Amino acid sequence: MKEVKVKGLAFDKRNNTPVVILEIPNSPLVLPIWIGSCEAFALSLAIQKAEFPRPLTHDLILNVISAFNGVAEKLFIDSLEDNTYRAKLILKVDDKTMEIDCRPSDGIIMATKKALPIYTTEEIIKESGIRIEDQAEQTEEREFKDFVEHLDIDQIRKYFENEEKGEGGSHEGN
């Protein structure tokens, strides 16, 4: 098992799809995971530690876990089948450890919200890790920081409100 950390979000222009980039500490590799636009929005909010007056879906799940005396401990991205990553959210309820099947994107959002460690296997890293050149990495990091610093949450909320009214553009989910 190898710990990975959320490095940031990117956008795959070739596939018009958001990608979460997981950094592998002490390695020149990163692990990209393609996610839906709604999940990218939720992850960007979690990265920014944005607060809402009412719980969003991932907050609700974490609140339900807590209401049943559970504690989310970590996320384990444990396999890759047919180009789809599989993950388990590891919970502790009383003295019992539970593994809950989840999409990596949802697990990453909850892990980011609760500052939980994220793990994957050496096999997944070997199979899907991508080498990032130092210069490209610095450029991507700078672009991501600029994106986060200039992200207008109110504008994003308006976009999704217009979507619900049928006035916005289309977006993908996963």
Side-chain angles (χ1 to χ4, degrees):
M1 220 177 0
K2 183 87 170 163
E3 187 169 5
V4 296
K5 299 193 179 292
V6 175
K7 180 170 180 64
L9 286 166
F11 190 76
D12 179 353
K13 293 178 184 173
R14 193 171 2 130
N15 296 313
N16 287 331
T17 307
V19 182
V20 61
I21 306 296
L22 298 177
E23 176 181 35
I24 303 160
N26 304 314
S27 170
L29 301 176
V30 296
L31 187 63
I33 298 181
W34 281 256
I35 63 176
S37 58
C38 290
E39 291 77 14
F41 171 70
L43 181 56
S44 69
L45 295 175
I47 289 169
Q48 294 180 67
K49 299 179 182 358
E51 295 290 326
F52 283 84
R54 303 291 300 140
L56 300 177
T57 304
H58 297 93
D59 301 312
L60 171 64
I61 293 167
L62 291 167
N63 290 345
V64 169
I65 292 168
S66 179
F68 285 95
N69 297 317
V71 176
E73 290 192 325
K74 62 186 166 191
L75 176 69
F76 182 42
I77 302 169
D78 61 348
S79 66
L80 178 62
E81 301 169 19
D82 299 322
N83 291 322
T84 301
Y85 289 98
R86 307 272 181 199
K88 291 181 176 57
L89 184 63
I90 310 300
L91 307 177
K92 188 79 160 191
V93 180
D94 298 321
D95 290 334
K96 184 178 178 184
T97 298
M98 302 175 73
E99 296 182 354
I100 307 298
D101 182 35
C102 69
R103 296 183 307 175
S105 56
D106 293 326
I108 291 168
I109 294 163
M110 289 186 277
T112 301
K113 285 180 168 288
K114 288 291 190 178
L116 305 177
I118 302 171
Y119 297 95
T120 192
T121 66
E122 294 284 348
E123 183 179 308
I124 288 175
I125 292 170
K126 185 177 179 182
E127 185 177 331
S128 302
I130 295 175
R131 183 174 298 278
I132 299 291
E133 300 299 323
D134 289 344
Q135 186 176 7
E137 189 173 294
Q138 290 171 0
T139 300
E140 180 180 300
E141 190 171 319
R142 194 175 326 107
E143 287 175 358
F144 178 71
K145 284 181 181 175
D146 287 345
F147 169 76
V148 170
E149 287 174 7
H150 296 96
L151 189 62
D152 184 345
I153 297 300
D154 290 329
Q155 187 176 18
I156 291 172
R157 281 189 190 131
K158 287 178 188 173
Y159 170 81
F160 280 99
E161 287 171 4
N162 289 339
E163 272 282 310
E164 289 175 2
K165 295 177 190 172
E167 299 170 7
S170 66
H171 65 279
E172 279 182 39
N174 86 338

